[in-house]
Amino acid sequence: MTDEALRMAAARARAAELMPYLATALFACTPVRSERVPTIAVDERWRFYWNPAWCGRLSVPELAGGWLHEVGHLLREHLDRFTELGEPSAKAPLFNVAGDAVINADLVEHGVTLPPGAVHIGQIPGAERTMGAEQIYRLLSEPPATPQAAGLSPSEATGDCGSGVTPGRRPWDLGPAGATEAERGLDADRADQIRRQVAGEIRALGTAPAGLRRWAEEILESRVDWRAELNAVVRRKAAEVAGVRDYTYSRPSRRTVPGVILPAMRQPRPPVVYAIVDTSGSMDRQRLTRCLSEIDGIVQRTGRLRTPVQVVSCDTVTGDLHPVRSVDDVVLTGGGGTDLRPAVATVARARPRADLVVVLTDGDTPWAPVPPRENRTARYVAVLVAGDRLTVPGWFTKIVVP
Ligand SMILES: [Zn+2]
């Protein structure tokens, strides 16, 4: 190992000492020395690119701060969260800055030394310690939209923490072909396992800064992997948009094309989510509480979006749809027998049109044999809170909560 690589290893060990609950995540990263990366950056396979000249100018404690910072982006899933916002990629640097501010607030609170030029939350007017990256991003994107105008110097604002934080391949990224076995990095499933493990360690130790503790509780609260469910919808929508783009390419109007044809680049719209809660008599208090935790899990993933999740509670009579931003907004009604079919039909007709419909139930209801005519393209997910003994038709993705 070179002296440079030894210093990086020492810095990672120091980082793990400072925040032992992040050790699993720190050591899951693959360090990659690169002259092409200007400073340090991560990609979505948890490869940690480091520039030897830039890192050589930093002290080991500052480098340890750099490790903790980049791992913070990966744990908090900033890449997926920016993608879910459906914002133009030109605004990605602002989201990087917002993520930096959130991560560094935790690190500063914990007494961690940061590399020079690090973004501090106090530099962003209106930003508060309890805000998530999306809220700070909104503050930065509101006019005046430039980070300079928001009080950040250009050098800080253009800091790029890599393709693990905002979309787009970087010049230093190792492709699947260029990577050796040791440099292959993590896949998405392994990354999720590490997030859950780290969240468990944060909860068990109880000494992490407030932001990380909030993050860990979000991860541990819901048992269903809503991230995977929502990502499946987001990916499908992105593919649909790509299809529209190809279609535009294939039909240029002969009369109006003297030169280059530029297809309309449409941004994928963030997914619209509806949840239906069974509030019939067979749903006891424990089951309802379980449902609310799962709704909380959905809200955590979608509350950041412009279209909040809509929740309808029902037994045989369908209640009104109302937007929900937290569990406190959920009004449970009913208590009689169960027939969820009218609720599913109501949601299928609702506007904005549903991309994902989640039904939370003990399954003790009749089901329609086919998806509602009004919306056959949505993804329908049934979350069963009382075991899997009950039959759910094949047009639902079935998730059993023990
Ligand atoms: Zn960063």
Side-chain angles (χ1 to χ4, degrees):
M1 218 188 254
T2 63
D3 283 356
E4 292 165 339
L6 279 172
R7 282 184 89 236
M8 291 308 289
R12 175 155 66 170
R14 170 101 184 103
E17 238 172 74
L18 287 168
M19 294 185 148
Y21 34 83
L22 299 189
T24 308
L26 286 162
F27 287 98
C29 293
T30 309
V32 179
R33 182 186 190 278
S34 170
E35 312 274 357
R36 304 183 78 175
V37 65
T39 56
I40 49 175
V42 284
D43 70 11
E44 60 181 322
R45 298 189 67 86
W46 292 46
R47 289 176 292 211
F48 182 104
Y49 301 90
W50 55 279
N51 179 294
W54 187 79
C55 291
R57 289 194 291 274
L58 265 58
S59 67
V60 169
E62 284 169 335
L63 284 175
W67 270 105
L68 292 166
H69 175 92
E70 298 298 334
V71 160
H73 283 298
L74 297 172
L75 288 172
R76 290 171 169 86
E77 298 171 84
H78 283 156
L79 176 62
D80 283 341
R81 285 163 59 176
F82 180 72
T83 307
E84 282 167 17
L85 286 174
E87 291 282 287
S89 52
K91 292 173 103 178
L94 292 178
F95 192 79
N96 196 138
V97 171
D100 288 348
V102 171
I103 293 167
N104 292 347
D106 259 10
L107 296 181
V108 167
E109 178 192 314
H110 207 65
V112 172
T113 309
L114 290 170
V119 173
H120 288 273
I121 197 161
Q123 293 170 287
I124 301 169
E128 284 168 32
R129 183 74 183 78
T130 52
M131 287 181 174
E134 289 80 1
Q135 285 165 289
I136 293 177
Y137 168 76
R138 294 279 175 229
L139 288 176
L140 288 169
S141 359
E142 277 163 16
T146 63
Q148 288 89 334
L152 295 166
S153 75
S155 64
E156 288 155 348
T158 51
D160 178 9
C161 291
S163 59
V165 180
T166 50
R169 215 193 130 122
R170 307 298 199 271
W172 55 85
D173 278 349
L174 294 174
T180 64
E181 185 68 41
E183 288 172 336
R184 202 150 290 162
L186 302 186
D187 63 24
D189 287 344
R190 182 72 190 120
D192 272 348
Q193 285 169 9
I194 291 170
R195 284 187 193 100
R196 288 198 79 83
Q197 192 179 333
V198 167
E201 280 155 14
I202 286 172
R203 182 188 266 180
L205 283 166
T207 53
L212 271 174
R213 286 207 308 274
R214 269 196 305 275
W215 167 82
E217 290 311 315
E218 279 182 26
I219 292 273
L220 297 171
E221 184 57 36
S222 95
R223 292 189 208 173
V224 175
D225 185 2
W226 291 114
R227 175 182 170 277
E229 290 304 318
L230 290 164
N231 281 0
V233 176
V234 170
R235 269 195 295 272
R236 197 170 65 182
K237 289 168 65 64
E240 281 166 15
V241 171
V244 169
R245 192 180 64 199
D246 291 348
Y247 183 71
T248 313
Y249 261 128
S250 71
R251 296 192 58 203
S253 156
R254 277 195 205 131
R255 277 179 302 178
T256 60
V257 185
V260 181
I261 309 153
L262 285 177
M265 295 290 285
R266 299 210 323 198
Q267 285 292 328
R269 173 174 63 83
V272 176
V273 183
Y274 290 85
I276 297 168
V277 190
D278 178 353
T279 55
S280 62
S282 59
M283 294 287 287
D284 59 24
R285 191 166 185 78
Q286 202 187 347
R287 288 172 185 178
L288 281 176
T289 305
R290 191 67 252 151
C291 286
L292 294 183
S293 295
E294 294 310 328
I295 288 180
D296 208 22
I298 303 169
V299 171
Q300 297 293 356
R301 298 298 310 186
T302 59
R304 311 168 176 134
L305 304 177
R306 272 179 239 163
T307 313
V309 61
Q310 311 262 337
V311 176
V312 60
S313 61
C314 75
D315 47 11
T316 48
V317 182
T318 299
D320 294 327
L321 288 173
H322 42 249
V324 165
R325 287 188 191 271
S326 85
V327 159
D328 298 334
D329 296 337
V330 179
V331 182
L332 293 176
T333 54
T338 317
D339 186 351
L340 295 177
R341 288 174 298 186
V344 174
T346 300
V347 164
R349 280 193 299 270
R351 294 292 179 271
R353 197 175 166 81
D355 299 304
L356 176 65
V357 177
V358 180
V359 182
L360 300 123
T361 175
D362 57 5
D364 197 7
T365 168
W367 301 98
V370 291
R373 190 165 29 85
E374 294 86 347
N375 188 344
R376 293 212 164 130
T377 56
R379 183 179 170 89
Y380 291 88
V381 175
V383 179
L384 304 178
V385 290
D388 60 353
R389 69 204 153 78
L390 296 146
T391 318
V392 176
W395 50 280
F396 274 100
T397 302
K398 190 167 80 168
I399 295 174
V400 178
V401 177

